[in-house]
Each structure stands twice: as structure tokens, then as C-alpha cells.
Amino acid sequence: MNETVHIYHINDLHSHFDSWPRIKQFLAKRKKSHTEAGEEMIIVDVGDHIDRSHPFTEGTYGKGNVTLLNEVGCQYAAIGNNEGITLPHDKLDELYAEADFKILAANIFNRNGDRPSWALPSVIHETKNGIKIGFLGVTAYYQKYYELLGWKITDPFQVLENEMSIIKKEADVIVLLSHLGLYDDERIAEDFPDVDVILGSHTHHVLHEGKEIHNTLLCGAGKFGYYVGHVEVSGTGREMTKKARVYETHDLEPAGGEALFAENLYAAGKKALSSVVTHLPVELSAQWFEPSDLPRLLCEGLTEWCKADCSFLNSGLILDKLPEGAVTKFDIHRICPHPINPCLVELEGNELKEILLQSKSQDWPELQIKGLGFRGRIMGIMVYDQIKFNGHVIEINGRPLDKDKTYKLAIPDMFTFGRFFPHLQRLEEKHYFMPEFLRDILEQKVRHAGSPAAI
């Protein structure tokens, strides 16, 4: 082809809006420049634009994020796990009602197997000179979580095999929007050589000039709006050239009013969450290194919500106290912003004992945590409900732990991920409560604490 196509990609913003005005201004200027040069420009988002830890996203259930993507001229978007499994079914189903862009999500279906009305597996984008660019989108294969929310998610590699057999017959260039992570992107490049460009995300990787595997160019633009990715494609077939780079938003020209923009979004979220939950007769404390009210209430609520024998969690989940007086949904969100779900596991007594002994490690309180849904700073001390340590004896519900008995333990879902408790990670049977977040439990307990019966 004689023309050059410029694809600009954003991924994993996670509702970090500080750089958004600068990104918007940058893309607008690029659009003007490419248009004047007679070149095609396409803007895409590769998922996790939303993050319910931000009050603007929480207050609009992500629809505010869709508006922002409309305003920058986004044309195609994949969904990430934050769109897919942190929103209730009905909220995801209506999320893109006002989107001016197409949603590419080849491996998500309704429970009955039909494709959602808002999702397409792929699309052919035809340039003004008649070049056909095939765009596909796939998202991470979190099967259990999607099923709990009423969706059906399928293996992205199987879906790709089916879709590629169709799209490669029509497209001159094939571009994949992948919310799978770098490791899977590398595997796709090996297994599907007809994919020309992979715009990656999920693992927050930055590929400053892309990474070539055989005939495929892998790209990634980090996280939080720190970068904007740019792929330049010229030619087709053996004559095709592909170049990738990223622009660091810190180095872009400042946009007018950008600090006020972020403040205004926060204020809009606060207003949307302004409904009063309860009135507290006294302050409820929150401490990370000593016992306090709110972590204790949340832990009690976790046991009750999951109908468990006992529970434990880390005090760092609560970021601040609640003062006496009116408590709003914004206040609950502010002190417990994490998109973390309750989880119930069943353990034999000897397994539970081992987990509880691990939980007493002196390394936990100061541990800094990143990811896994946690949006705080440090772990904090462990807080227990219906669990007591009397010397070498552990009591559950006032009785010595029986190594031959099966117990139901409630925990934050992040304890089943990563390196916290390897045995919990390896358990085959884990029951996640969705779409409830820990803050839903906290809200219920705080409401009760402010009720006349509790005063």
C-alpha cells in the first residue's frame, strides 16, 4: 500500500486520570498532523481503562470512563478484567450503551452462549485507500469469575484459531487487541504467524520499540497513563514495515487545567456517592499496627456474609477511620476502595492450623503490597474473628481446633492469589462471592453500628 497507517494505543489506565488531558491533547494534535499529511490514524484502548477504586468510576459504574474514551476519539477497545469481573452483570451489559467505539471481545458470551449485543469478535477497518485492517480483541481467561457473574468466557487461543481462519481471508493487516499479558502475547506470536501486530496489556509491560517474534510485532504501553503507544504500519504482505514506539506522557506538552480536571472528576465521583449510609454515634477507629474498630467490624462481617466458622484479614484493608456523624457511600469507598471480593474455603483442621500459624508471621504488618486488587499501602496486622491463640492452642468458636474437623474459613480473595498463602492458592475448591466487594460488607456493618439498636 502507498499509505501509512498510525495506530495509537492506551492500556491499563486503571482510572488514573492525572495524565488524561495531556493524552487527549496529544492525540488531537496527532490527528490533525496525520490528517494534513493524508495518513490514516486509529485510536484504541486495550482494556482496564476503568478501576472502581476511583470514586468517579465507582459513582458512574464506568460510564464516565466510556465518555472520556469517546472524547479522545477512540475507535476500538478491548475489555480487561476490571471491566469484565469487577462490574455486576447488568452494569457491564449496559456499560457501552453510549460508546462511540466498537468493543472487540471475541471470547465473552452470555450464559446461553449468545454473544452480548455490545461485543464483536473482530472488525474490518477499511482505510480511504482500500487497505483492510482486521482488528480482533480477546480478554483474560478468568473462567470461574465470569461464570459467577453470569457470563461465559472461552479460551482465547481457541477463539483466535476460529477467528483467524475467517479474518485472514479478508484482511491485508491483522492487529490483535490482547488483554492477556506478555507471556500469552509471545505464545500467540509463535502460534499465529498471521497476526501482524499485537497491542498488549494486562501485565503492564512497556515495550519501547516493540518486540519482534518471527513476523509479529508485540507492543505494550505500561499502565496508569504513563505512556501512549504508537505503531506505524506501511505496506502489506512481504512488503509490510512495522515500527513501534511509546511516548512518555510526563514529557508531553502540558494541557491547560489538567490538575483541575482530575480534581473535578474526583469531586463528581464524591457527589455521585453522596447518599448517607448511617449516622455514627461515636468515631470508629482504624489502625494498621494495633487492634481497632473498623478492621474488627469488617472481619466479623466477613464471617457472617460467607456463613463461615471463622475469618481473618489484614488491617491494611481499612485506610482511615470514620468520624462521628453522617457516613456516606463515598466515605465507605474512601476507606475501603479495593476491588476485592469475599472468599470462602473449606480446610481440614490441620490445614487451617498451618494457615493460621503462617498468618502470625512478623513479616506481614510492614509488607508493601501492589496489585491483586489491593489499593492500599501496607498489609498491617492480621485481624481474626472466631479465632483465638492461647499459647500453643488455637481455638475456633471457643473450642480447641480439631485437626480432623472440616472448617469454613472466610478471607479476602487476594489471600488466594500470589505468594501470601501457597496452600490457599493451590486449593481447587474456592468460593468467591461476586459481585460483592469487601466494602459492601463494611457498609452493612457500619450501617448496623449506626442504627438505634447498636447505640
Side-chain angles (χ1 to χ4, degrees), residues 1 3 5 40 42 125-133:
M1 65 180 172
E3 67 179 323
V5 177
E40 189 94 7
I42 302 168
H125 178 106
E126 188 167 350
T127 71
K128 62 184 178 182
N129 289 337
I131 300 302
K132 294 180 179 179
I133 304 174

Side-chain angles (χ1 to χ4, degrees), residues 236-267:
T236 58
R238 294 182 179 180
E239 305 301 320
M240 186 186 304
T241 62
K242 297 165 287 191
K243 293 190 295 184
R245 66 165 296 179
V246 295
Y247 301 89
E248 192 168 354
T249 53
H250 177 77
D251 296 332
L252 299 178
E253 180 184 347
E258 57 186 26
L260 187 60
F261 174 83
E263 291 175 9
N264 287 342
L265 288 189
Y266 192 87

Side-chain angles (χ1 to χ4, degrees), residues 345 347 355 409 411 415-416 421-427 430:
V345 295
L347 299 167
I355 296 296
L409 172 68
I411 48 176
F415 286 176
T416 68
F421 299 97
H423 182 71
L424 294 179
Q425 184 184 25
R426 290 191 297 267
L427 282 177
K430 297 183 278 274

Side-chain angles (χ1 to χ4, degrees), residues 142-267:
Y142 290 135
Q143 185 178 19
K144 181 179 291 186
Y145 304 97
Y146 277 101
E147 287 178 355
L148 288 170
L149 289 167
W151 300 105
K152 178 182 178 182
I153 193 87
T154 56
D155 186 316
F157 286 86
Q158 292 179 2
V159 167
L160 272 176
E161 188 168 347
N162 294 333
E163 289 300 320
M164 285 296 297
S165 65
I166 299 169
I167 200 170
K168 68 182 183 181
K169 297 175 182 177
E170 302 181 55
D172 302 303
V173 181
I174 296 176
V175 178
L176 174 67
L177 279 59
S178 165
H179 200 90
L180 302 180
L182 182 57
Y183 174 80
D184 280 352
D185 290 351
E186 292 171 340
R187 179 182 161 192
I188 290 169
E190 295 282 355
D191 294 352
F192 299 93
D194 289 318
V195 176
D196 298 296
V197 178
I198 299 175
L199 305 179
S201 61
H202 189 47
T203 45
H204 301 176
H205 51 284
V206 183
L207 300 175
H208 290 272
E209 295 182 346
K211 177 179 180 179
E212 290 198 51
I213 296 180
H214 304 312
N215 198 42
T216 305
L217 178 65
L218 279 64
C219 308
K223 63 178 181 178
F224 300 170
Y226 294 157
Y227 299 92
V228 176
H230 176 198
V231 179
E232 184 178 318
V233 180
S234 300
T236 58
R238 294 182 179 180
E239 305 301 320
M240 186 186 304
T241 62
K242 297 165 287 191
K243 293 190 295 184
R245 66 165 296 179
V246 295
Y247 301 89
E248 192 168 354
T249 53
H250 177 77
D251 296 332
L252 299 178
E253 180 184 347
E258 57 186 26
L260 187 60
F261 174 83
E263 291 175 9
N264 287 342
L265 288 189
Y266 192 87

Side-chain angles (χ1 to χ4, degrees), residues 15-312:
S15 295
H16 284 66
F17 300 117
D18 290 348
S19 297
W20 194 252
R22 201 171 289 202
I23 292 171
K24 181 180 177 180
Q25 176 179 269
F26 170 73
L27 292 174
K29 288 186 175 182
R30 285 283 161 154
K31 181 73 172 179
K32 183 175 184 294
S33 175
H34 293 313
T35 300
E36 290 173 351
E39 298 172 336
E40 189 94 7
M41 175 174 164
I42 302 168
I43 300 172
V44 305
D45 180 81
V46 200
D48 276 4
H49 192 280
I50 79 168
D51 194 309
R52 288 181 61 187
S53 63
H54 194 289
F56 178 68
T57 300
E58 178 76 352
T60 64
Y61 278 106
K63 287 189 174 182
N65 296 69
V66 171
T67 298
L68 296 179
L69 285 169
N70 285 342
E71 291 174 354
V72 299
C74 181
Q75 291 157 274
Y76 306 106
I79 69 166
N81 45 291
N82 273 267
E83 286 87 9
I85 61 174
T86 72
L87 290 172
H89 186 284
D90 62 323
K91 297 302 182 183
L92 175 57
D93 211 27
E94 64 188 32
L95 175 63
Y96 300 108
E98 303 299 323
D100 296 333
F101 49 92
K102 291 181 170 63
I103 313 304
L104 304 180
N107 60 324
I108 186 170
F109 300 87
N110 290 313
R111 184 172 280 163
N112 64 4
D114 294 339
R115 196 175 296 281
S117 60
W118 46 266
L120 296 170
S122 61
V123 68
I124 298 293
H125 178 106
E126 188 167 350
T127 71
K128 62 184 178 182
N129 289 337
I131 300 302
K132 294 180 179 179
I133 304 174
F135 284 96
L136 304 91
V138 287
T139 197
Y141 186 43
Y142 290 135
Q143 185 178 19
K144 181 179 291 186
Y145 304 97
Y146 277 101
E147 287 178 355
L148 288 170
L149 289 167
W151 300 105
K152 178 182 178 182
I153 193 87
T154 56
D155 186 316
F157 286 86
Q158 292 179 2
V159 167
L160 272 176
E161 188 168 347
N162 294 333
E163 289 300 320
M164 285 296 297
S165 65
I166 299 169
I167 200 170
K168 68 182 183 181
K169 297 175 182 177
E170 302 181 55
D172 302 303
V173 181
I174 296 176
V175 178
L176 174 67
L177 279 59
S178 165
H179 200 90
L180 302 180
L182 182 57
Y183 174 80
D184 280 352
D185 290 351
E186 292 171 340
R187 179 182 161 192
I188 290 169
E190 295 282 355
D191 294 352
F192 299 93
D194 289 318
V195 176
D196 298 296
V197 178
I198 299 175
L199 305 179
S201 61
H202 189 47
T203 45
H204 301 176
H205 51 284
V206 183
L207 300 175
H208 290 272
E209 295 182 346
K211 177 179 180 179
E212 290 198 51
I213 296 180
H214 304 312
N215 198 42
T216 305
L217 178 65
L218 279 64
C219 308
K223 63 178 181 178
F224 300 170
Y226 294 157
Y227 299 92
V228 176
H230 176 198
V231 179
E232 184 178 318
V233 180
S234 300
T236 58
R238 294 182 179 180
E239 305 301 320
M240 186 186 304
T241 62
K242 297 165 287 191
K243 293 190 295 184
R245 66 165 296 179
V246 295
Y247 301 89
E248 192 168 354
T249 53
H250 177 77
D251 296 332
L252 299 178
E253 180 184 347
E258 57 186 26
L260 187 60
F261 174 83
E263 291 175 9
N264 287 342
L265 288 189
Y266 192 87
K270 183 176 181 179
K271 182 178 180 181
L273 299 171
S274 62
S275 59
V276 175
V277 171
T278 191
H279 288 79
L280 290 176
V282 295
E283 175 183 286
L284 294 180
S285 61
Q287 299 290 335
W288 293 340
F289 302 116
E290 59 187 65
S292 58
D293 298 325
L294 287 168
R296 174 184 56 80
L297 278 176
L298 179 57
C299 198
E300 290 175 1
L302 187 60
T303 305
E304 296 163 3
W305 193 284
C306 298
K307 296 180 172 58
D309 297 308
C310 55
S311 65
F312 74 92

